Structures are given as C-alpha cells and as structure tokens.
Amino acid sequence: MEKILNYIDGTFCEPSSGQWLDNYNPSTGEVYSQIPDSNADDVSEAYKAAEKAFPSWSNTTIDKRSRILIKLADLIEENLDRLAAAEAKDNGKPLSLATTVDIPRASANFRFFGNAITQFASQAHESVGLQTMNFTLREPLGVVGCISPWNLPLYLFTWKIAPAIAAGNCVVAKPSEVTPMTAYLLGELCTEAGLPPGVLNIVHGNGPTAGEAIVVHQKIKAISFTGGTKTGEHIARTAAPMFKKLSLELGGKNPNLIFADCNYDKMLAVTVRSSFANQGQICLCGSRIFIEDSIYEKFKKDFVAKVSVMKVGDPFDSGTHLGALVSQPHLEKVISYIEIAKEEGGKVLCGGEKVNVAGKEGGYYLAPTVIEIPNNKCRVNQEEIFGPVVTLIAFKTEVEAIAMANDVKYGLSATLWTKDVDRTMRLSKKLEAGIVWVNTWLNRDLRTPFGGMKESGVGREGGFEALRFFTESKNVCISWEDGE
Ligand code: NAD
C-alpha cells in the first residue's frame, strides 16, 4: 500500500513513532494509502529544519524568492492532471472541480504571492520640523505554523504557505489527515522548484497530536489556521497565553438573500452552484436561502427541479455534479442533521438520502437535499452542516430578511440577489459577514481581504493582509542634527 511521507528539511521521511494512519478513498470507502501518525518529535524535527533555514531564507532577495514561488506555480500547472486526479481520489470531489478550481487556484496562490511580495512596501514618515525620520521595517516572523482542513486541500494549504514563505518565513505545515495526498505531492515540486531545504516542512497526522504539537511549540511564532470553529476556539485558548500571532478562518452558515427584482435565471443557476459545489463542503456555500415571498413558490419549484436532476456519482465520471462526501463520520453527521430538520418540522423537498453508486457501494454519497423549514431558529439554520443540504425560508420585507441573515453566530460570507442599487448598498453595509457577494458567488480576486466576523474567525487573509500577518512591523525613529 502506498505510503505518504513527511517532508522535512527537503527530504521525505517516516514518522518517528513508526505509527501510521489509514487514508480512505471516499468514493469507494476503501483504505488506499497510509499517512504518518506524527507526534511532537516529528514537529520538533520540522521546527529544527525550519529554524536552520530561516537566516538564509529571510535574507534571500525578494527577486529570488519570487522566482521560486512562480516556478512552483508553473510546476503545479504542469502537473495539473496528476494533482487533480490525486485530489479527486483523496477527497471525493468531482475531477472536473479539482481540475478547474482546486489545482489552478493552488498554482494561482503561489503566482499571486510570488508577485505580491515584489510590491509589498514599507512606509516612511518624516516628522517635518522635528528633524525626525521614521521608517517601518516589515520583517518575517521566523518559523510559523500553517494548519489546513480537508474541503479544499491543496487550495487552502497553499493559500497559507505561499504568503508565509514569500514574506521570508520558514514553515511547519500540517494538512488535514483526511486529505493528505496533494500536500505530500507538493513536497516533490518544492524540491524541483529549488525551494531550499527546511523552508517548507510538511508534517502529517492527527489534529490533537501533530496539529497540537505545532500550536504548543514554544518557538513557533504564529499560527495560521483554517478549520472548524470549535478547533479554532481550542487553538486560540492554547496559543493566546503564549502570545502567538493568530489567524483563524473558521466555520460559516452563510445566507443567500434572493429578491424578486433579481436576474432570475442567473440567480437560479448560481444558487444551484453556491448550494452544492464540492458537495456543499465549501465554507462559503450559501446554506440558508431566504426568498422574497412573491417569488417563493416559483423559486421552490424551479430550484427543486434543477437540484433533483443533479447527478451524484463517481468523481472520475465527467457527468458527475456531486461526488462523495469526505468521510463516513462526516456523512453520518450530515444525515443526522436531515433527521433533526424533520424533527423540527422541516419538509424535505428533494434528496435526504444516501445514493448507491454502482460499483462504488462503499462510497459516501448523499443526494443534494433541499429542506423547507419553519423558521431561522431551527438548529439546521443555526449550526454548520457543511454538506449538500440547504434550507428555504420566505421573507416579506428587507428588514425581516436582514434580521434572519444576521441572526446566527457565524459571519463568513453572504450573497445578495437584487438589481436595486440602493438595496445593495443598504444590505451590504448591514450584513454581518466578512465577504458580501452581490449577483455572484465565489468570485475571488486574490488582492481582496478574506475572512469572517463573529465566530467565523479572527483576522484576514489575502493580498497584503496576508503579508502583513506573516511579518512583524518595526518602526525605526531617527533624530538627526541640522549642523553644517
Ligand atoms: P477541523 O477543525 O476538524 O480540522 C482542521 C485542521 O485542524 C486539520 O488539519 C486538523 O487535523 C487540525 N486540528 C484538529 N484539531 C487540532 C488541534 N487540537 N490542534 C491543532 N490542529 C488541529 O476542520 P475540518 O473538519 O478539517 O474542516 C471543516 C471546517 O473548516 C468547517 O467548519 C469549515 O467551515 C471550515 N473551513 C473554513 C474556511 C474559511 O476560510 N473560513 C475554509 C474552509 C473550511
């Protein structure tokens, strides 16, 4: 059976414990590879390699760092088919999605930050009349930790690593133990791109062991984490007393507000995507759909008609719209919420059941599910399900719509469908979300700030925000004499 290895100091190595974890193929339910069950010893080795590499990497010219990142971007592009196939097998997502979204975005992350670092400037402030000059240095932090989830494996792993190393840091990174494969393959490409050994170290294993060891490591200066809100809270409790810099990108329960004056056909097509892309396992999916009552019945009929014919199947089948959910426990969690919805008076309009895919009987397939629910207080509208399940609620007024949209502990993203400019402005300002999309969804410009309000996170990624996070600013104040 294939063994995934840690990547430390530029070489692949086995876990010090000699222990391994099973890695499942979600589309068949079979174990197809094993990953290191790394512990604090492996993290310590990774740290030492990173610490050793830091003096040289942090003094490497911006031009050289930029070229290496851009080379990595090129290599990811050249390996698109291989990486996309690995991602689809490891995660259960449709190959078409991995090929058009996940892997191109991983490449874009390196290309973007390879370019962004060449434009990242520090400031100078002359205190005129006081004969004082201030300039601000932005220095890399040292060794930083990056921990990522399973839903967009290489996409989110590289979204953290790229700005960290572009800014001159060295990294100890841990991908999700549920989807480790493409992070493993990235190691090879790093070597090929000429990234010096120790700049990026990849440690595989469980969250409470390998992940925790990164968080509690005394000398790791910052933690950039994307994952569940509960895990984020635990990490914050652990890291805050150690005065580590923290960036937390957490869960979401995003509203999708549909007004009668929208471009209906565009809204319908995009809403199908924003509900079920990646089996609904994107933190930005619009899982709570609020519809103006004058078009509620029409929307319900048209939406359910479109969703009912979506094909759930083998991720490698080109006609597949939804692949498998990522794991058996996750499938069970999502199904349990469908049961909760029924107990709360919800009416399942379509889906709600497991799907049997011929020849893949052990796979974790679930039909896309639309549930009409009595009100926004239902648990299915308050708790993150993170699967192919959306709810419908009608609203009468804008005031009612915004109240329901904001009545949730999360605040990651929101989508708004309307042609009314005044309403767009009013609601965009009122929505409690880090990202508001109007008449579009998942439309990303990597220069923009990305992150959540409330329990969806702390801090922002993207553009110069990420480079600021991965650097410490230091102001130097010089007083000068005005002599001859
Ligand atoms: P998770 O919190 O279970 O795990 C995320 C990562 O943290 C994994 O690598 C895991 O091994 C690690 N981890 C777990 N316990 C840890 C600990 N005690 N110390 C250190 N690391 C630990 O999340 P998940 O199930 O992998 O991902 C799904 C969640 O991620 C959802 O809530 C989703 O909304 C969220 N998410 C958020 C964003 C965003 O940008 N806000 C993006 C994608 C996913």
Side-chain angles (χ1 to χ4, degrees):
M1 183 160 312
E2 186 177 0
K3 280 202 158 104
I4 284 169
L5 299 168
N6 288 336
Y7 179 72
I8 297 176
D9 208 9
T11 52
F12 288 102
C13 49
E14 300 201 347
S16 58
S17 65
Q19 302 292 309
W20 301 84
L21 302 167
D22 288 337
N23 185 31
Y24 291 80
N25 174 345
S27 71
T28 62
E30 285 159 6
V31 174
Y32 82 102
S33 57
Q34 292 197 304
I35 75 162
D37 185 4
S38 306
N39 58 29
D41 293 338
D42 302 290
V43 169
S44 170
E45 286 309 304
Y47 173 79
K48 283 183 207 154
E51 185 190 37
K52 191 175 66 175
F54 180 68
S56 163
W57 182 246
S58 55
N59 275 305
T60 297
T61 62
I62 300 289
D63 179 62
K64 185 155 185 210
R65 277 191 235 150
S66 167
R67 281 170 194 268
I68 292 174
L69 264 79
I70 289 168
K71 175 79 180 152
L72 249 174
D74 291 342
L75 287 171
I76 291 173
E77 259 172 33
E78 284 165 27
N79 285 274
L80 171 69
D81 292 342
R82 188 166 73 102
L83 290 168
E87 201 74 293
K89 186 172 179 179
D90 211 28
N91 173 280
K93 67 178 67 212
L95 177 64
S96 56
L97 191 72
T99 307
T100 55
V101 176
D102 290 76
I103 307 306
R105 175 58 191 275
S107 168
N109 289 339
F110 281 114
R111 194 174 306 286
F112 175 82
F113 284 108
N115 286 312
I117 194 62
T118 67
Q119 305 299 316
F120 188 49
S122 55
Q123 292 171 313
H125 304 275
E126 182 179 1
S127 308
V128 177
L130 296 176
Q131 293 175 193
T132 319
M133 175 59 95
N134 292 274
F135 62 89
T136 309
L137 297 170
R138 295 226 61 122
E139 297 172 329
L141 303 173
V143 179
V144 299
C146 297
I147 301 175
S148 59
W150 50 256
N151 64 322
L152 300 166
L154 193 63
Y155 174 137
L156 290 175
F157 193 57
T158 53
W159 180 232
K160 299 182 173 306
I161 290 166
I165 63 178
N169 300 281
C170 293
V171 175
V172 178
K174 193 194 88 65
S176 170
E177 63 279 21
V178 186
T179 52
M181 186 55 90
T182 47
Y184 168 54
L185 299 175
L186 181 69
E188 279 172 27
L189 302 184
C190 288
T191 304
E192 202 179 330
L195 191 71
V199 173
L200 172 63
N201 304 278
I202 303 170
V203 179
H204 295 273
N206 280 321
T209 44
E212 184 90 9
I214 295 174
V215 177
V216 302
H217 194 288
Q218 290 292 341
K219 292 189 170 167
I220 291 182
K221 300 275 177 49
I223 302 292
S224 174
F225 169 81
T226 298
T229 293
K230 258 205 157 122
T231 317
E233 184 191 332
H234 172 78
I235 289 176
R237 279 184 201 284
T238 311
M242 301 175 81
F243 302 102
K244 293 189 187 219
K245 244 181 148 177
L246 266 184
S247 166
L248 301 172
E249 298 292 341
L250 310 176
K253 191 75 192 173
N254 311 308
N256 181 1
L257 303 180
I258 300 171
F259 286 84
D261 68 350
C262 69
N263 175 337
Y264 188 84
D265 292 341
K266 182 181 177 194
M267 174 279 296
L268 192 62
V270 176
T271 295
V272 170
R273 212 162 58 80
S274 67
S275 302
F276 299 113
N278 204 36
Q279 299 73 247
Q281 302 167 143
I282 301 182
C283 53
L284 305 161
C285 278
S287 54
R288 298 183 296 142
I289 309 180
F290 301 103
I291 309 108
E292 190 164 3
D293 61 356
S294 61
I295 58 163
Y296 183 76
E297 290 303 327
K298 176 175 167 50
F299 172 82
K300 183 166 100 176
K301 186 166 133 285
D302 294 346
F303 185 59
V304 169
K306 276 197 179 290
V307 174
S308 318
V309 296
M310 291 181 91
K311 190 175 165 227
V312 179
D314 182 352
F316 285 84
D317 197 333
S318 63
T320 291
H321 298 116
L322 282 88
L325 269 64
V326 79
S327 68
Q328 178 73 31
H330 189 57
L331 174 70
E332 284 166 12
K333 175 193 151 183
V334 176
I335 290 174
S336 78
Y337 271 103
I338 298 172
E339 293 310 314
I340 290 169
K342 290 180 194 161
E343 285 160 21
E344 292 180 310
K347 185 173 162 203
V348 177
L349 303 175
C350 68
E353 287 157 0
K354 282 168 72 173
V355 175
N356 197 22
V357 174
K360 310 258 171 193
E361 283 74 15
Y364 317 131
Y365 300 98
L366 184 67
T369 302
V370 182
I371 311 176
E372 191 173 43
I373 58 162
N375 61 64
N376 190 52
K377 292 287 182 202
C378 291
R379 276 183 66 192
V380 282
N381 251 34
Q382 293 292 321
E383 297 171 23
E384 187 183 41
I385 302 175
F386 213 54
V389 179
V390 294
T391 62
L392 308 187
I393 297 184
F395 66 83
K396 284 197 175 60
T397 64
E398 200 180 290
V399 172
E400 192 191 350
I402 191 85
M404 288 194 287
N406 287 342
D407 182 20
V408 72
K409 66 180 184 180
Y410 297 104
L412 187 54
S413 70
T415 307
L416 176 59
W417 291 95
T418 181
K419 280 188 183 159
D420 183 329
V421 175
D422 297 328
R423 174 184 287 144
T424 296
M425 281 310 301
R426 272 194 307 272
L427 292 192
S428 299
K429 284 175 74 66
K430 284 183 186 155
L431 279 163
E432 293 168 0
I435 302 141
V436 178
W437 278 297
V438 183
N439 300 327
T440 184
W441 177 73
L442 204 61
N443 201 328
R444 296 278 295 119
D445 180 323
L446 302 189
R447 292 170 300 178
T448 61
F450 179 91
M453 294 183 180
K454 293 153 73 174
E455 294 188 25
S456 288
V458 178
R460 293 292 180 270
E461 298 184 320
F464 291 144
E465 298 277 349
L467 295 175
R468 282 187 202 108
F469 174 76
F470 283 115
T471 51
E472 192 85 76
S473 66
K474 180 195 285 174
N475 193 66
V476 180
C477 175
I478 304 173
S479 168
W480 49 281
E481 303 296 325
D482 197 12
E484 195 12 43

